[in-house]
Amino acid sequence: MEIDARIADELGVEDASGDQTTTVVLFVDNESGVRRFEAGLTAPKDVAVARVAAGDLDDTFEITAGGKGESLAEARAIDFVGKGSEPPVVLLGVRFSEPVDPSGVGFTARRLVDHEEGEVDGAAVQVAAAERTERL
């Protein structure tokens, strides 16, 4: 998934090699976007989180559990200005200590509320390899 330059810079996104990548994003593809969330990513066995970056809702982004050196990163945020109203909405990005297969990265979605104050279907949540939209 292509991500904006700000998130790519925070994560230090590199090109994926084969099916492996060091950087992934957790995103939601929901028609009404995301107004608030509590969600996270879990690393595959024996891999640690190296960096965490805020996604589209960066103004109120807060890491609530895990983070650098841990096996997971959980966060929350609220959209007060409409940044998360257009899908897809990136919730957070994680760079791992070593390359991983994105399909082996677990995720939690404890709370997902869209801009119509409805619950977002968990099927709309996905993990993808992060790619730059611009080269360094």
Side-chain angles (χ1 to χ4, degrees):
M1 173 179 199
E2 292 186 349
I3 58 173
D4 70 29
R6 178 193 56 80
I7 300 170
D9 288 344
E10 285 185 40
L11 291 174
V13 172
E14 297 174 353
D15 290 333
S17 78
D19 295 335
Q20 302 281 303
T21 183
T22 57
T23 50
V24 299
V25 292
L26 181 64
F27 72 99
V28 175
D29 193 4
N30 179 58
E31 186 176 318
S32 298
V34 175
R35 173 131 169 82
R36 62 183 167 266
F37 76 87
E38 292 179 38
L41 290 167
T42 304
K45 187 177 179 181
D46 299 326
V47 176
V49 171
R51 294 184 198 170
V52 179
D56 294 326
L57 311 184
D58 59 332
D59 293 337
T60 61
F61 183 83
E62 175 185 21
I63 297 172
T64 57
K68 186 176 180 177
E70 302 290 328
S71 63
L72 65 93
E74 292 187 351
R76 64 182 175 193
I78 300 174
D79 184 8
F80 291 114
V81 295
K83 288 183 176 180
S85 59
E86 294 291 322
V89 179
V90 176
L91 303 181
L92 71 147
V94 170
R95 180 181 180 100
F96 293 108
S97 58
E98 58 187 80
V100 298
D101 179 343
S103 67
V105 175
F107 68 86
T108 58
R110 298 185 196 290
R111 186 170 190 205
L112 292 170
V113 178
D114 65 21
H115 277 269
E116 295 176 2
E117 294 300 317
E119 292 292 321
V120 175
D121 184 349
V125 183
Q126 300 174 44
V127 176
E131 299 171 359
R132 293 188 68 87
T133 54
E134 306 169 3
R135 292 282 174 211
L136 289 174

